[in-house]
Amino acid sequence: MPTTQQQASMHAVNLAQKASLIDQHWSPRVVAEMNDYQFKVVRIEGEFIWHSHPETDEAFFVIEGKLRIDLPQGSIYVAPGELYVVPRGVAHRTAAEGEAKLMIIEPGGILNTGHEGGERTADNDVWI
Ligand code: NI
């Protein structure tokens, strides 16, 4: 029995180019999906809020700039081409001096503010 097949895309996703299309900071945009997961790009500057995601790990890949991730034990710095995974349930706060462009990998439906909510919660599932 043949299984359902989706049409293959005929172009690669250029992360830097997608990030350049985003017009505001802290507004993740979906660029691809894999099974239940989404790949999102985001431009950040300054500090976000402390939050956690009780239901999932969250991966950050730096495209450009330098990402700081504040964790309960201290801060770690993530450079372009580097990846860091925040384990589920661990409190974190992302930050960048100047601007940084990131890719976030996590299941669909996860909010940027996690369990905290509030005014910095971005619209979810917006593609670019
Ligand atoms: Ni998070």
Side-chain angles (χ1 to χ4, degrees):
M1 251 333 240
T3 54
T4 314
Q5 238 177 335
Q6 284 190 311
Q7 195 74 26
S9 168
M10 289 309 292
H11 34 244
V13 176
N14 185 302
L15 299 175
Q17 185 261 340
K18 289 290 189 185
S20 74
L21 299 175
I22 300 174
D23 57 8
Q24 52 186 334
H25 292 128
W26 305 107
S27 299
R29 297 288 183 257
V30 182
V31 298
E33 281 178 335
M34 187 188 77
N35 298 325
D36 299 336
Y37 273 68
Q38 290 184 327
F39 299 79
K40 304 172 183 175
V41 292
V42 63
R43 293 172 47 205
I44 70 168
E45 190 174 339
E47 262 177 11
F48 201 57
I49 61 165
W50 283 98
H51 66 279
S52 66
H53 307 277
E55 64 278 74
T56 183
D57 301 341
E58 183 170 47
F60 295 92
F61 172 79
V62 177
I63 302 162
E64 190 184 308
K66 187 171 244 186
L67 169 66
R68 189 186 85 220
I69 304 177
D70 298 332
L71 299 165
Q73 312 95 306
S75 301
I76 66 135
Y77 290 88
V78 191
E82 294 184 338
L83 174 74
Y84 186 82
V85 182
V86 177
R88 85 178 59 193
V90 171
H92 56 282
R93 175 176 65 181
T94 47
E97 281 179 34
E99 185 179 67
K101 295 173 180 169
L102 322 175
M103 176 170 65
I104 298 169
I105 307 164
E106 62 193 357
I110 299 301
L111 293 174
N112 62 335
T113 51
H115 71 296
E116 282 293 328
E119 62 183 14
R120 298 195 69 176
T121 303
D123 288 342
N124 217 356
D125 213 27
V126 183
W127 286 71
I128 200 164

